[in-house]
Amino acid sequence: MAKAKKGFSRSDRIAEQIQRELAELTRKGLKDPRAGWITITLVQVTRDYSHAKVFYTVMDEKTREATQEALESSAGYLRSELGRSIKIFTTPQLHFVYDESVERGMHMTSLINQVAREDAEKFGVQEAASGEDGAEGKE
């Protein structure tokens, strides 16, 4: 058996495996019509593997609350399917948390782009005007 890499604990490997399995289960096995396009972004597992915090995002912001309800109501089913596919002593209870980091990242990107546009409008016009003056002086 290969040694685990330093800094990559067993709980990290289990969290990754849970993330992969839940992504597949939500894509193929979740029949709840309230659940939209779900992306599992991160799973954090407690040291004793009794609880797992599952972070997710949805494609359509309007379905966020309905998706949360669908995930919470199907947590038992997902946990039992997870127990069949992952061989650990205790299958963790699943707690679903909406991951707002993607939204915050998109918002920050739009703010940066807005500032860049405003700077280009403010300074770009002046630079173009001064560039034209300099070009005329050289000719």
Side-chain angles (χ1 to χ4, degrees), residues 10-11 45-52 88-92:
R10 182 170 191 259
S11 62
V45 182
T46 58
R47 295 180 79 200
D48 62 354
Y49 310 121
S50 61
H51 297 274
I88 55 177
F89 184 72
T90 303
T91 304

Side-chain angles (χ1 to χ4, degrees), residues 8-22 40 42-46 49 52-54 82 86 88 92:
F8 197 63
S9 67
R10 182 170 191 259
S11 62
D12 292 338
R13 291 191 308 271
I14 288 176
E16 265 190 22
Q17 182 67 30
I18 290 172
Q19 181 177 351
R20 282 192 298 273
E21 294 293 330
L22 283 177
I40 307 296
L42 178 71
V43 175
Q44 294 176 339
V45 182
T46 58
Y49 310 121
K53 193 182 289 188
V54 181
L82 202 58
I86 297 178
I88 55 177

Side-chain angles (χ1 to χ4, degrees), residues 36-42 54-60 63-64 67 71 97-103:
W37 286 90
I38 302 168
T39 303
I40 307 296
T41 57
L42 178 71
V54 181
F55 293 90
Y56 72 94
T57 60
V58 291
M59 292 293 282
D60 186 11
T63 63
R64 180 177 166 182
T67 301
L71 287 171
V97 179
Y98 184 75
D99 187 0
E100 295 178 354
S101 64
V102 175
E103 262 178 42

Side-chain angles (χ1 to χ4, degrees), residues 79-122:
R79 183 178 183 207
S80 68
E81 291 298 313
L82 202 58
R84 289 188 184 117
S85 60
I86 297 178
K87 304 300 180 203
I88 55 177
F89 184 72
T90 303
T91 304
Q93 291 182 10
L94 303 174
H95 306 280
F96 294 97
V97 179
Y98 184 75
D99 187 0
E100 295 178 354
S101 64
V102 175
E103 262 178 42
R104 281 195 310 263
M106 289 181 359
H107 179 67
M108 293 299 291
T109 300
S110 70
L111 289 176
I112 291 169
N113 290 340
Q114 178 184 356
V115 168
R117 276 192 310 273
E118 289 172 0
D119 283 352
E121 289 172 4
K122 183 176 179 183

